[in-house]
Amino acid sequence: MTKRKNLSKSRIMSAQQCPKLLYLDVYHRDLKEISASTQAAFDTGHLVGDIAQEIYGGGQGTFIEYGPGLRQAIIDTQALMENGPVAPIYEATYEYEGVLVRADVQLPAGDGWRIIEVKSSTKLKEEHIKDSAIQAWVFKNLGYKLEGIALAHIDNQFLYQGDGDYSGLLVENDIADEVEALLPQVPEWIRTAQQAISGEMPEVPVGGHCSKPYPCSFLKQCWPSDVDYPVTGLGGGKKSLAELVSEGYRDIRDVPAERISGARQRIHRVTLSGEPELLPGAREFVESLGYPRYYLDFETIGPAVPIWPGTRPYETLAIQWSCHIEEGPGQMRHEEFLDLSGEAPMRALAEAMIDALGTEGPILMYTSYERGVILGLAQRFPDLAPQLEALVERLEDLHPPTKHYFYHPKMLGSWSIKAVMPNIEGGLDYNDL
C-alpha cells in the first residue's frame, strides 16, 4: 500500500474530486460500475479525437499507439521528439516523476510545440483547464518548449455540409494564461493523489462531489444501496440527502417525519405505509380521454459528430417511432416506422407519422419529449409544419396525472416510466415492450 504508484491525469483529477474515488479506482476496480451514458461519453470522446486528427493534421503526422504498452508509447514519443518540431503527433505519451500524460494533438510551433486538448463537450469547463495544467506541467518539466496550449471543444452551431468535411466542428480556446496560473498548484494535486492511495481508504462524506464534475462509478460504496428503500429515493438535492446519510440514515423508513418537508413528505408517508397510493382523479382523467387513442413513442439520436448533411452536433434527430392505436376499449392495433437504408430518415418519418396519427383523438405521451421532437420536425420541414403542429395540439401528457395521482414505495422517488410500469397492476415490464 505504501509503494509509490504512477498517476495519470485522470487519476489526479479523480483525487481532486474525491480521494476515496481514486483509492477505489486503484484497489477495487472490480466494484466499478460504468453506466451506459458514461460509456457513451467515452465512445464519443474517442470519435471526436479521431476527427480532431483529421482537422489539425489533414492526414499528416504520427499516432502513438497505446496497444504495445505504456513504456513503448513513451519510447516512441521520445524518438519523434528528438527530431524536433517537424510534424504533428497524436496521443504523444510522457512521464515525469510518476505522472503519465497523453496529449491529444501536438503541433509544431516554431522551435517548440503547441498542445491542443480535445473534448466532446460544447463549452470550456474549469476541469478542462486543470486537466491541461497537469499536461503542461509534465511537458515543461521534461524540458520541452511549450509555445501554447489550447482546449478544442465542439461547436454546437456547426452545420454539417456532408462529404466528410468536419472543418469547423471544433472551436478552439487559448487557455495558456489560465494553465500557467495553475502550474504551481499541480505538485500539491499530485501529493493529494499519492496520499489517497498510500494508506487506508480515505473517509469522505457523500455530497455534491459524488456527481460533479463527473458521475462517480462507485456510488454504491458510499450511498445506501443495501436496504429496501434507500434514502436517495426521497429525491431532491444531493446536499440534503448527504446530510441524512452522514447522520446515519440509510432507509427512508428510518428518517423521522420532522426531517421531511415538501414533496418528500408524500414519498415518506407512502413508503412507511408499505402500500401504493392511487387517488380517484386517475380514473377521471382516463375516462375523459376520447377515442381513438394513440400511444406514441419516439427513438432519437443526437450524435456529437453529425452523420447527415444539414444537421448539427448533438441535435435531437428522430429515427424511429412506434404507436399503439386503441380504436375503442380493448381494440388495439399497431403502427411503426423504422428506416434501415442509412439515409437521413427524418422527413419520411414525419410523413409516415402524419398519415398514421390521423386528425382526431388524443395522442398520449409520457413527459414532454414527444412534443419537442415533433416541434423539431416542424422547424426542419416548414411545408409539413401545419400538420405537425396540429398533432402537437392533440398531445396528452400522462406524466403529470401519474405523478399527481399515483405513487408506489418501490418507485423510490422516481416517476419515470421505467419506475412506474413494474409497479402498477397488470404485470407490465418496460423491458418487455
Side-chain angles (χ1 to χ4, degrees):
M1 287 286 187
T2 58
K3 182 181 178 181
R4 184 180 179 87
K5 292 183 175 292
N6 288 337
L7 293 168
S8 63
K9 279 193 306 179
S10 60
R11 283 186 167 181
I12 295 171
M13 292 295 290
S14 291
Q16 287 291 293
Q17 180 171 340
C18 173
K20 186 176 180 179
L21 165 59
L22 174 58
Y23 181 94
L24 290 169
D25 193 48
V26 170
Y27 297 112
H28 298 285
R29 290 184 66 83
D30 57 307
L31 300 176
K32 194 170 188 175
E33 295 185 359
I34 298 179
S35 67
S37 59
T38 298
Q39 184 59 54
F42 291 154
D43 296 340
T44 295
H46 294 317
L47 177 58
V48 174
D50 292 342
I51 296 293
Q53 293 172 28
E54 289 297 321
I55 291 174
Y56 283 103
Q60 303 298 312
T62 303
F63 179 83
I64 303 297
E65 297 286 349
Y66 193 69
L70 179 63
R71 285 294 133 202
Q72 189 60 49
I74 293 173
I75 291 170
D76 292 345
T77 300
Q78 289 175 338
L80 287 172
M81 296 296 284
E82 288 174 359
N83 297 325
V86 176
I89 306 175
Y90 312 110
E91 299 299 330
T93 307
Y94 305 98
E95 176 189 1
Y96 179 75
E97 292 191 354
V99 178
L100 305 166
V101 298
R102 280 167 70 81
D104 292 331
V105 178
Q106 188 173 303
L107 302 175
D111 59 350
W113 298 87
R114 192 166 74 92
I115 291 176
I116 297 99
E117 284 296 287
V118 181
K119 302 297 181 182
S120 58
S121 64
T122 58
K123 63 180 179 180
L124 175 65
K125 301 178 182 179
E126 179 183 356
E127 57 267 25
H128 295 161
I129 299 175
K130 289 185 175 182
D131 182 283
S132 298
I134 299 168
Q135 182 93 33
W137 184 85
V138 170
F139 192 85
K140 296 179 76 169
N141 273 292
L142 287 172
Y144 297 120
K145 187 174 182 181
L146 183 62
E147 289 289 355
I149 188 164
L151 190 290
H153 62 75
I154 288 178
D155 179 2
N156 60 6
Q157 297 305 304
F158 168 76
L159 186 66
Y160 180 49
Q161 301 298 328
D163 298 324
D165 182 4
Y166 291 104
S167 54
L169 174 67
L170 299 176
V171 59
E172 192 175 297
N173 301 264
D174 184 344
I175 55 173
D177 291 343
E178 293 92 330
V179 164
E180 188 69 25
L182 289 177
L183 288 180
Q185 299 181 38
V186 175
E188 182 58 35
W189 299 348
I190 297 170
R191 281 192 290 273
T192 297
Q194 286 291 356
Q195 289 170 2
I197 56 177
S198 297
E200 298 299 319
M201 182 167 63
E203 290 295 330
V204 182
V206 296
H209 59 274
C210 296
S211 56
K212 293 181 180 180
Y214 304 108
C216 178
S217 299
F218 297 95
L219 288 178
K220 289 184 178 180
Q221 310 312 309
C222 304
W223 289 86
S225 61
D226 55 352
V227 294
D228 292 333
Y229 304 104
V231 294
T232 48
L234 287 169
K238 277 280 195 298
K239 181 179 179 181
S240 57
L241 290 174
E243 291 175 357
L244 293 174
V245 174
S246 298
E247 292 174 27
Y249 298 113
R250 302 184 65 77
D251 194 294
I252 291 174
R253 297 167 297 183
D254 298 332
V255 181
E258 58 267 22
R259 295 296 308 277
I260 307 296
S261 61
R264 290 176 172 176
Q265 291 177 325
R266 180 191 186 193
I267 297 171
H268 187 253
R269 172 175 52 78
V270 175
T271 304
L272 283 176
S273 76
E275 298 294 330
E277 177 181 82
L278 179 61
L279 302 178
R283 176 182 295 274
E284 296 172 8
F285 169 77
V286 174
E287 290 178 343
S288 72
L289 299 173
Y291 290 98
R293 298 173 180 175
Y294 298 86
Y295 302 85
L296 179 65
D297 181 45
F298 283 109
E299 296 299 333
T300 62
I301 60 172
V305 179
I307 300 170
W308 297 299
T311 62
R312 303 182 187 278
Y314 293 115
E315 183 179 0
T316 299
L317 302 171
I319 60 168
Q320 180 182 9
W321 58 257
S322 171
C323 187
H324 286 83
I325 303 171
E326 190 177 11
E327 302 284 5
Q331 302 172 27
M332 195 78 74
R333 62 184 178 88
H334 182 253
E335 297 282 351
E336 64 184 31
F337 175 91
L338 177 61
D339 186 320
L340 300 178
S341 70
E343 299 298 319
M346 290 82 74
R347 184 174 185 92
L349 176 147
E351 292 173 339
M353 181 177 62
I354 290 169
D355 289 341
L357 297 183
T359 58
E360 296 181 357
I363 302 171
L364 305 175
M365 60 181 182
Y366 202 81
T367 73
S368 60
Y369 191 71
E370 275 69 26
R371 175 179 280 107
V373 173
I374 297 174
L375 288 174
L377 290 168
Q379 186 174 14
R380 178 172 290 278
F381 306 113
D383 60 313
L384 300 179
Q387 294 157 288
L388 291 168
E389 289 168 358
L391 297 181
V392 170
E393 293 298 318
R394 293 162 53 200
L395 289 172
E396 288 279 358
D397 190 351
L398 296 177
H399 183 263
T402 302
K403 188 169 185 178
H404 185 76
Y405 297 121
F406 180 71
Y407 184 73
H408 193 291
K410 291 184 179 179
M411 286 162 52
L412 297 177
S414 171
W415 276 268
S416 74
I417 196 167
K418 293 182 180 180
V420 172
M421 283 191 63
N423 296 303
I424 59 178
E425 292 185 13
L428 296 175
D429 187 338
Y430 187 86
N431 294 321
D432 292 337
L433 288 182

